[in-house]
Amino acid sequence: MSMNCMHWGMYTAGPALHDSNAFRVLLRLADEADDQGRNAFPSAQTIADDIGSCVRTVYSKLAYLEKNGLIRRGDQGPAAYLPKRHRPVVWELALDLDTTDKITDALNGKTGTPAKIAGLETDAAPADNGRQPVADPPAKTCKRPAGDLQSDLQSDLQATCKHVADDPNKPYNPITHNDSTSTREHADGRTVQEKRKTRFCAWQPGDKATATATELRADIDSELEKFRTVVEDSGKYPPIPEKSFIKWLKKGAERGLLDRPSSKRQSDTKAEPHTHKPGCEHVQTIMRPHIDEYPKPTGRGFSPEYWTACERVADNLNAGDSPQQALDAITRKEGTEQ
């Protein structure tokens, strides 16, 4: 950013420009230019995203600014490294129009400003952007003082910048510098990933996931345990666990990786009592909401303190305690050890 160019665009060109979209486009070029007003080559799509407009409007206003001599085509060398089909025009600001009166005269056609194209001095012509020229609306006479108009334009620009800064879905945001949504903090101080983790720990498969598992003839308990293990090991918690789990089941079916339920009928064999283990779903359902109370692991998996607590809960469940009794028992024991 060049403060000299921004000052020129805001306080010299601003009062003379009655077109707010052209004013925004000019300021966006000034933000990219160097101290001499050269080497500004943001793409039309980038300008449109940053000022909250459409690409067609940007092309039209670039042609308008070039036609009236406020911008010129400069040395195209700085953009030569880009692919030809995606290479934007390198613009140069007309900083030699150093007063508002000169810019007003240029806009009214009283002066002819040459356009600099690849080092050649030629008369200014509309930008060759491969599109049909769009007729500019007739200029409206503004009877307000230049100071009032400048204040309105500045307020309009500030509102546009605030709109861009507050929108996290913009592909390029010059104000927030494309902050990652996974690390952005909310009002309560928690990041998006921390909120997703809490939601994931409390989630259980719903009707759609159960129906999908039945349709694919998958052992939902086994697949759920694998799904949770993979997610927790990666540390990337899905925004919608139900949808991600359904996708997990479908991908597993396509690759032949799903665990199938036992083919034996319950009447053929006697149900064997389940022996709880530290990693089984029953223990993890009890301990998962309290995982933040234990030290974080240095590598992948669980910390030794958390795993020891899971072993105690498993022993208590195998001894016949209810889930709440098993949890209360290890809480009392940890308090006594402390």
Side-chain angles (χ1 to χ4, degrees):
M1 176 191 291
S2 170
M3 294 304 298
N4 181 40
C5 294
M6 291 296 292
H7 188 277
W8 174 83
M10 181 74 75
Y11 298 107
T12 303
L17 275 173
H18 299 162
D19 190 328
S20 61
N21 281 327
F23 177 64
R24 293 190 186 97
V25 172
L26 183 64
L27 280 186
R28 187 61 186 85
L29 293 177
D31 183 45
E32 291 284 339
D34 56 21
D35 289 337
Q36 288 73 39
R38 302 169 183 168
N39 302 330
F41 54 96
S43 67
Q45 184 64 60
T46 298
I47 297 175
D49 290 339
D50 291 347
I51 70 174
S53 182
C54 65
V55 177
R56 183 175 180 180
T57 298
V58 172
Y59 278 123
S60 174
K61 299 312 171 185
L62 286 172
Y64 170 75
L65 293 170
E66 184 184 14
K67 177 181 177 180
N68 289 280
L70 271 69
I71 61 175
R72 308 160 184 161
R73 296 196 178 199
D75 179 13
Q76 304 300 307
Y81 69 94
L82 296 171
K84 188 172 182 180
R85 58 180 297 185
H86 301 296
R87 189 179 303 163
V89 177
V90 180
W91 297 103
E92 177 181 333
L93 304 180
L95 296 184
D96 52 303
L97 301 177
D98 53 0
T99 65
T100 303
D101 292 337
K102 290 182 180 180
I103 293 178
T104 302
D105 291 341
L107 293 173
N108 293 333
K110 295 182 180 179
T111 59
T113 305
K116 186 177 181 182
I117 306 178
L120 299 177
E121 297 294 334
T122 62
D123 292 335
D128 181 12
N129 49 39
R131 297 173 178 266
Q132 294 294 329
V134 180
D136 295 317
K140 297 181 180 179
T141 304
C142 181
K143 298 182 180 181
R144 292 181 298 171
D148 293 343
L149 177 61
Q150 178 178 334
S151 299
D152 291 346
L153 291 173
Q154 290 178 359
S155 299
D156 196 7
L157 178 65
Q158 291 172 358
T160 299
C161 291
K162 184 178 186 302
H163 163 73
V164 175
D166 291 343
D167 189 352
N169 297 317
K170 292 291 183 183
Y172 170 72
N173 191 325
I175 299 175
T176 59
H177 300 293
N178 231 1
D179 290 340
S180 173
T181 56
S182 63
T183 58
R184 188 179 298 120
E185 290 190 359
H186 291 270
D188 59 0
R190 294 192 299 167
T191 64
V192 172
Q193 280 297 322
E194 289 174 347
K195 285 193 171 185
R196 289 180 181 178
K197 179 180 179 181
T198 303
R199 188 186 310 122
F200 181 80
C201 292
W203 165 77
Q204 291 295 330
D207 295 338
K208 286 188 177 181
T210 304
T212 303
T214 303
E215 180 183 353
L216 299 175
R217 295 185 296 108
D219 186 342
I220 190 170
D221 293 333
S222 176
E223 291 301 323
L224 179 61
E225 185 173 354
K226 291 193 297 184
F227 176 67
R228 287 191 184 278
T229 301
V230 170
V231 171
E232 289 170 354
D233 286 347
S234 66
K236 298 179 180 179
Y237 296 89
I240 307 177
E242 182 85 359
K243 184 176 179 180
S244 299
F245 183 56
I246 292 175
K247 185 177 180 180
W248 167 281
L249 293 173
K250 292 181 178 179
K251 287 292 184 181
E254 292 176 2
R255 300 172 182 176
L257 301 176
L258 291 180
D259 290 341
R260 304 297 181 182
S262 177
S263 59
K264 296 182 179 180
R265 295 176 298 176
Q266 292 184 356
S267 57
D268 294 340
T269 58
K270 294 182 180 180
E272 296 182 359
H274 174 69
T275 302
H276 298 284
K277 297 180 180 180
C280 75
E281 183 61 25
H282 304 92
V283 174
Q284 291 303 313
T285 301
I286 297 172
M287 292 297 299
R288 197 171 289 116
H290 305 279
I291 191 172
D292 292 334
E293 300 173 7
Y294 296 89
K296 294 183 179 180
T298 55
R300 301 179 65 181
F302 302 116
S303 63
E305 294 81 0
Y306 178 77
W307 190 254
T308 301
C310 292
E311 291 177 342
R312 294 175 182 172
V313 170
D315 293 339
N316 294 336
L317 291 176
N318 291 329
D321 290 349
S322 66
Q324 188 60 45
Q325 290 173 339
L327 182 62
D328 293 342
I330 68 163
T331 303
R332 290 194 301 271
K333 187 171 182 179
E334 289 176 352
T336 303
E337 291 177 353
Q338 292 177 358

